Every structure is written in structure tokens, then in C-alpha cells.
Amino acid sequence: MLLDGGGTRRSVTPLAPPGVYAPQEDTELLAGALSDESVPENADVLDVGTGSGALAVEAARRGCRVTAVDVSRRAVCAARLNALLAGVPVRVRRGNLFAPVRGESFDLILANPPYVPAPGGGSLPRGAARAWDAGGDGRLVLDRICREAPALLRPGGVLLLVQSALSDPGLTVGGLRTAGTKAAVIRRRRIAFGPVVRGRQRWLRERGLLSVTDDEEELVVIRAELPV
């Protein structure tokens, strides 16, 4: 379930083939933040880590010029197909985070990056796990976004990012402020553990990222605006 431009809930069922991250509670939370944002028609929007393209399609429905990026070939194909099925134009590019859009700038950047802390030392995630596994502290991609996204924003431009409390939203807010933006948490939601977190509860508790009584995960949306 996502939201339309007026904040009304409606069903969205984009195709998400095996290996592509399907829209979940984090997608819905970020879509709600998007619906609250005053985005003019013809604004240039970047959806980084687009997955199935659900958020890119939402932005395109509002009349925005949308570029969607994902490192996964399957995700790129899914996003293109879902934009076609929705009847909206979305420019889809394959690449690692911001690499495909170097030299460009945007009025709005949407980011639903991998943010789940993962065991395994410094090994990089492979396959479908690239959509959620983010290193031992969950910040493998978040720290890069904090460093690199502000440089792609136009004056007055906004970054909307969703992550888990397991990966320290305070570090994200602090990093974005250091990069010159006005940043704050604007939405929170507690959800039942999904299969990934449920499968590594013991490890997360041993790391001190979950208490012995925690049975839910908190998601947050962070909004960062580049001053005019």
C-alpha cells in the first residue's frame, strides 16, 4: 500500500521478480514522506536504489522528471517494466549508487538503501542480499549517501531517506548536517521483524543492537534540505 499525491492510501502492486526488492513497510513510509513534500511539476527527481521502481513511478505520476538507479540488472529491468505498465516516463540507469548521474543535479533525491546490519566481517553482499545487507554496522551505503548526496542537490533541494534504527539514524542526521544540509527525522514507524532481522536476532542481540525484550524494529525517514 502506497499513497497518492493527496495522501490517500491506494494499492500499488509493482512487479518484483525474484532477486528484486519488493515494496514493503519502508517503501510505504518513504512514499508517505514523498506525498507530504511540495514537489513542483517538472522537478528533477532521483530514486537511488530503486528496486522495483515503485517510488520512481510515484514521483513520475506527480509530473516529475525521474531518474531511477540500481546496481542490479534485474531491478533495472523491473523498474523499466513497471514504469511502462504505469504509463509514466522514468529514465532507468544501472550503476553503483550515484555513479550513473555524476555531473547532474536534482531537486529531490529518494533513497531506500540497504541498512540491515549483517554478520560476515567486511565481505560485500552479493545477489539479492545487496538490497538489505549493509555491513556489520548497517552503514555500508548510508555513509556514502551522507557524503555524496548533498553535492547532487540543487539549492533548496531535498533528500528523503528511509532506514532502520538498527543502523543509527543519529549518525545519518549528523553526517548530512556536516555535509551542509538541514537534516532531521520526520517520520517513525515500528514494525514486526521481517524475515531478515528475524533470522539474525541472536547476532543483533549479541551486538547490543537489539535488547532481549525487543520484538519490533523501528523505521525512520530522514529529510535533509540544502539551504538556498
Side-chain angles (χ1 to χ4, degrees):
M1 185 80 76
L2 296 182
L3 304 174
D4 65 19
T8 302
R9 290 178 178 268
R10 60 180 177 77
S11 295
V12 175
T13 54
L15 298 176
V20 176
Y21 187 76
Q24 298 181 41
E25 289 94 338
D26 51 2
T27 313
E28 181 183 348
L29 194 62
L30 190 54
L34 172 61
S35 72
D36 288 344
E37 201 66 37
S38 297
V39 184
E41 285 192 23
N42 297 319
D44 288 304
V45 176
L46 172 64
D47 180 24
V48 63
T50 193
S52 68
L55 289 165
V57 168
E58 289 294 296
R61 283 183 169 133
R62 295 181 61 176
C64 299
R65 293 188 295 262
V66 182
T67 300
V69 172
D70 205 290
V71 72
S72 163
R73 287 185 177 87
R74 291 186 181 187
V76 166
C77 292
R80 286 175 175 159
L81 178 58
N82 284 318
L84 181 65
L85 292 174
V88 294
V90 175
R91 182 180 67 148
V92 186
R93 296 289 180 266
R94 179 177 177 264
N96 190 336
L97 209 59
F98 301 113
V101 292
R102 294 295 182 204
E104 300 183 41
S105 62
F106 299 90
D107 301 294
L108 176 66
I109 297 175
L110 303 169
N112 184 359
Y115 51 67
V116 180
S123 60
L124 295 176
R126 300 177 61 84
R130 291 179 298 182
W132 55 79
D133 281 355
D137 59 1
R139 301 198 58 82
L140 184 67
V141 179
L142 285 167
D143 286 336
R144 285 188 58 195
I145 292 175
C146 291
R147 292 193 303 267
E148 300 177 26
L152 276 70
L153 289 174
R154 294 169 181 163
V158 170
L159 164 70
L160 294 174
L161 177 149
V162 64
Q163 70 168 89
S164 171
L166 296 172
S167 45
D168 200 337
L171 281 179
T172 303
V173 171
L176 290 167
R177 288 176 178 172
T178 298
T181 71
K182 301 175 182 177
V185 173
I186 60 168
R187 285 185 174 228
R188 298 179 183 270
R189 178 181 299 173
R190 297 193 67 83
I191 65 169
F193 291 155
V196 175
V197 173
R198 192 163 56 245
R200 58 187 65 155
Q201 285 183 71
R202 181 175 178 179
W203 179 81
L204 290 167
R205 296 188 202 283
E206 290 173 349
R207 289 287 307 276
L209 297 173
L210 286 175
S211 76
V212 294
T213 58
D214 283 336
D215 60 2
E216 291 182 318
E217 176 187 8
E218 184 179 50
L219 301 177
V220 304
V221 173
I222 294 168
R223 182 183 189 274
E225 182 175 350
L226 190 69
V228 176

